[in-house]
Amino acid sequence: MLKETSMTRSGLNIQQSEYQTLFELVPCLITIQDREFRLIRYNHLFSDHFHPEHGAYCYQAYKNRNSRCEKCLVAMTFDDGKSHYGEESSTNVDGSVTYWIAYTSPLKNERDDIVAVMEVCLDITHRKQLEENLEKSERKYYSIFNNMPNPMFVLDIDTLMVLDCNESVTTVYGFTKEEIINKSFVELFPEDEKNSYGLKMRAYSSLNKVKQLKKDGKAIFVNIRIAPSEYPGQKVMLVTASDITQRLEVEQQLIQAGKMATLGEMATGIAHELNQPLSVIKTVSSFFIKKISSHEAIAESTLNDMLIKIDNNVDRASRIINHLRNFARKSEVIFAKVQVNEILERALAIFSQHLKIRGIEVVWNIENNLPVILADPDRLEQVFINLLVNARDAIEERWKHAEPVKGDKRIIIKTSREINNIKIEVCDTGTGIPKSILEKIFEPFFTTKDAGKGTGLGLSISYGIVKDFHGSIKAVSEENNGACFTITFPIQDSTDGKTNTAG
Ligand SMILES: Nc1ncnc2c1ncn2[C@@H]1O[C@H](COP(=O)(O)OP(=O)(O)O)[C@@H](O)[C@H]1O
Ligand SMILES: [Mg+2]
């Protein structure tokens, strides 16, 4: 019996010392407090950290206060007998702040009265600092996001719903953040283009010269860049839009100025063109006047023939005038299926007389039945006219002082089909382009011509137009040996109605 008791006691002793060790070694601060918040017991970690005096109070040790904290977890546990949890902070001797997570639980006697409360505190300062750093960096990136001059949207990758956007969206589109969040991004496109842009947004990483509508219904043009990204817990699209409306307006004005310059260039040729139908009409009407004044009868068949001649020539004159009117018109850019051979013929129609007067021969080397491309016929015509004007200038310059023989002054126009492209070449027997300036000729305002003659806009406008229709333009030349301009356009795929690039 005695032996048994002593064995139980030694067992209890072992257990107690184990608990004691645990109490001391647990990597958190443990205190046991009475109703006055006096520290009855605490572990090593606590005493190492706070060095409390004998009989010190919790609020003295932790916070160097003279009275209990307003919100006190220990007091709450004494009141309701339950465990409580919360975050605390205390200022250290060196002024730095330590953050804690605190848990309290009641300690009861055999009669179930709460005699003390145990508080366990865990130092979370490091985690807190990480959280603060994260918050700071989030704030920093958010402020960059917000202050970007270009509108930025965060879209749900499946629905294209706007999850977030920056403040520039309001400046550019006129919608407030509240008005745009939770709406689909495709709502910004014109009604009849919403579906197709919904598809393109998912298929391409960039869309150029896209028309969108502002809150007031006015159209703007933007370049859109799309990048996949992560937004807390979900895959998103990050979309930036740059407003290029003003730039396009300036380009538009330049194009218009270029057209006017070309019209000026063509004035003599056009006058000659118009003179032909006019002289036919004049001859016929003089004939009538003469007959009538001499009271001579006119045979009905002659009358008929003459009137048909007048009719045809009036038509011819109005065709020339309409062509000019169309060419000079300010027009919206359109994408139409275009047969390049037809446009080349049209460009040459208003220019051929002009070249003929100057003794310049045009050699046609056209591949028939070419597939169509997607472009704006009026703009394309302007590109070809610009190339013809330049070829004319180069030829005139080269043969200014020399005595050309037949065939020396030539413009060669060639079209052909490559695998996915249509190729157009406009070559001439002019001065050629010196190597040193070959790189510069497509720059706006670059000209080697005298003031008043060259504007330096022809090739830069042409370059912009060709690019708009996803084509390319380049020049090859040897000095004194003529120049060759090659333009390519992707063939419009008749099966799906799309070219292979977006925008
Ligand atoms: N066919 C050509 N032959 C020789 N030089 C050319 C030819 N086309 C263009 N150039 C050169 O490129 C320059 C820029 O052409 P462009 O942009 O049309 O402006 P501009 O004709 O008003 O000078 C010309 O001034 C000329 O030096
Ligand atoms: Mg030019």
Side-chain angles (χ1 to χ4, degrees):
M1 174 79 177
L2 203 68
K3 203 173 160 195
E4 239 174 59
T5 319
S6 88
M7 270 174 66
T8 317
R9 184 164 305 134
S10 80
L12 279 175
N13 281 346
I14 293 172
Q15 222 173 33
Q16 195 181 0
S17 104
E18 271 177 0
Y19 281 128
Q20 181 68 33
T21 318
L22 257 180
F23 182 77
E24 293 301 351
L25 294 184
V26 171
C28 35
L29 312 182
I30 305 180
T31 56
I32 294 172
Q33 307 176 21
D34 65 12
R35 280 186 186 275
E36 256 72 67
F37 314 107
R38 207 189 303 266
L39 304 170
I40 307 171
R41 283 190 66 187
Y42 37 80
N43 66 351
H44 268 311
L45 209 60
F46 184 84
S47 61
D48 286 353
H49 199 96
F50 292 110
H51 309 291
E53 284 173 15
H54 183 71
Y57 294 92
C58 165
Y59 46 81
Q60 284 176 329
Y62 269 105
K63 300 190 179 174
N64 204 16
R65 289 169 64 106
N66 294 323
S67 56
R68 59 162 273 205
C69 311
E70 252 152 56
K71 188 188 169 211
C72 171
L73 301 177
V74 176
M76 285 157 75
T77 299
F78 271 120
D79 283 349
D80 61 12
K82 291 185 180 143
S83 287
H84 288 279
Y85 154 87
E87 278 191 24
E88 292 279 346
S89 63
S90 63
T91 310
N92 302 317
V93 191
D94 63 0
S96 62
V97 179
T98 305
Y99 294 91
W100 313 94
I101 284 186
Y103 295 89
T104 55
S105 47
L107 299 178
K108 297 177 178 174
N109 61 14
E110 316 80 63
R111 291 200 307 276
D112 218 22
D113 301 327
I114 303 172
V115 289
V117 167
M118 176 164 74
E119 186 176 48
V120 179
C121 285
L122 191 69
D123 186 343
I124 54 159
T125 313
H126 184 61
R127 200 193 78 192
K128 207 73 185 172
Q129 274 163 356
L130 289 179
E131 269 174 20
E132 264 170 26
N133 288 349
L134 188 69
E135 208 172 291
K136 256 190 226 156
S137 102
E138 259 176 26
R139 269 206 304 274
K140 188 173 89 190
Y141 284 111
Y142 204 72
S143 130
I144 294 175
F145 174 75
N146 253 339
N147 293 317
M148 292 276 267
N150 287 344
M152 285 185 90
F153 302 85
V154 180
L155 306 188
D156 181 287
I157 209 155
D158 299 315
T159 60
L160 303 185
M161 195 78 88
V162 179
L163 304 172
D164 199 358
C165 67
N166 67 359
E167 281 163 15
S168 305
V169 168
T170 309
T171 324
V172 174
Y173 291 90
F175 291 105
T176 62
K177 217 167 164 167
E178 291 71 37
E179 286 170 323
I180 213 136
I181 283 181
N182 288 333
K183 295 245 168 60
S184 170
F185 183 75
V186 292
E187 293 297 322
L188 292 171
F189 295 105
E191 193 57 46
D192 54 340
E193 293 178 2
K194 285 181 183 168
N195 282 345
S196 78
Y197 275 113
L199 296 174
K200 283 183 187 168
M201 294 277 303
R202 291 174 171 96
Y204 300 107
S205 60
S206 71
L207 299 168
N208 291 330
K209 291 195 183 172
V210 172
K211 187 174 175 182
Q212 291 194 309
L213 299 177
K214 299 205 287 189
K215 188 178 175 183
D216 60 10
K218 280 203 186 117
I220 52 168
F221 288 87
V222 291
N223 284 345
I224 292 180
R225 299 287 172 266
I226 305 160
S229 183
E230 291 262 350
Y231 195 62
Q234 83 191 98
K235 283 197 167 26
V236 293
M237 275 183 195
L238 201 58
V239 174
T240 38
S242 34
D243 184 359
I244 53 162
T245 317
Q246 257 183 349
R247 196 190 88 199
L248 286 187
E249 274 163 11
V250 173
E251 267 178 25
Q252 189 75 23
Q253 283 161 6
L254 280 182
I255 288 182
Q256 200 55 23
K259 277 187 187 178
M260 291 304 147
T262 311
L263 278 182
E265 294 275 351
M266 297 185 309
T268 37
I270 295 157
H272 189 93
E273 277 277 284
L274 272 179
N275 232 357
Q276 285 186 341
L278 285 181
S279 34
V280 175
I281 296 166
K282 175 78 185 167
T283 314
V284 175
S285 53
S286 303
F287 170 79
F288 284 152
I289 292 168
K290 208 169 121 209
K291 287 283 182 190
I292 290 167
S293 54
S294 60
H295 303 289
E296 276 181 60
I298 307 166
E300 199 163 310
S301 62
T302 318
L303 197 58
N304 190 41
D305 286 352
M306 296 290 183
L307 286 175
I308 287 174
K309 251 198 182 121
I310 290 183
D311 198 56
N312 286 344
N313 280 281
V314 168
D315 282 351
R316 184 173 161 196
S318 41
R319 264 201 307 277
I320 298 168
I321 290 165
N322 275 340
H323 191 162
L324 288 178
R325 205 188 273 146
N326 282 341
F327 182 73
R329 195 186 57 204
K330 261 192 188 160
S331 54
E332 285 254 314
V333 185
I334 54 162
F335 276 81
K337 288 182 181 174
V338 170
Q339 176 55 255
V340 287
N341 289 346
E342 279 169 23
I343 309 297
L344 278 166
E345 274 163 30
R346 236 169 72 178
L348 204 64
I350 39 174
F351 215 64
S352 59
Q353 199 56 39
H354 179 94
L355 295 174
K356 209 162 160 192
I357 298 170
R358 287 165 170 76
I360 298 173
E361 183 194 342
V362 177
V363 181
W364 276 101
N365 195 346
I366 292 294
E367 183 174 323
N368 288 320
N369 303 321
L370 283 178
V372 290
I373 61 162
L374 261 197
D376 180 330
D378 289 344
R379 304 240 149 146
L380 211 52
E381 182 180 338
Q382 196 183 355
V383 172
F384 297 148
I385 289 180
N386 287 341
L387 295 184
L388 292 172
V389 171
N390 283 347
R392 175 208 65 190
D393 289 348
I395 291 171
E396 295 228 291
E397 179 67 26
R398 178 169 176 194
W399 302 101
K400 200 161 51 179
H401 304 298
E403 207 35 64
V405 293
K406 194 175 162 6
D408 275 348
K409 292 162 105 180
R410 257 181 316 143
I411 296 177
I412 304 105
I413 298 173
K414 189 176 169 198
T415 58
S416 56
R417 178 189 179 146
E418 293 183 323
I419 302 166
N420 294 318
N421 292 323
I422 295 293
K423 187 157 116 184
I424 304 131
E425 286 159 281
V426 178
C427 304
D428 62 64
T429 55
T431 52
I433 309 167
K435 250 205 175 70
S436 55
I437 65 162
L438 205 54
E439 297 275 293
K440 297 198 188 111
I441 56 172
F442 292 103
E443 288 171 12
F445 306 110
F446 177 84
T447 180
T448 53
K449 296 170 193 171
D450 295 341
K453 188 143 199 289
T455 57
L457 287 176
L459 286 181
S460 106
I461 289 171
S462 303
Y463 183 89
I465 296 175
V466 170
K467 280 277 162 216
D468 275 353
F469 304 122
H470 312 303
S472 71
I473 176 168
K474 63 174 199 280
V476 270
S477 174
E478 277 169 41
E479 200 161 354
N480 283 325
N481 212 4
C484 245
F485 284 81
T486 309
I487 302 178
T488 62
F489 287 110
I491 291 171
Q492 156 78 11
D493 189 325
S494 54
T495 52
D496 67 358
K498 268 197 226 161
T499 50
N500 52 10
T501 33

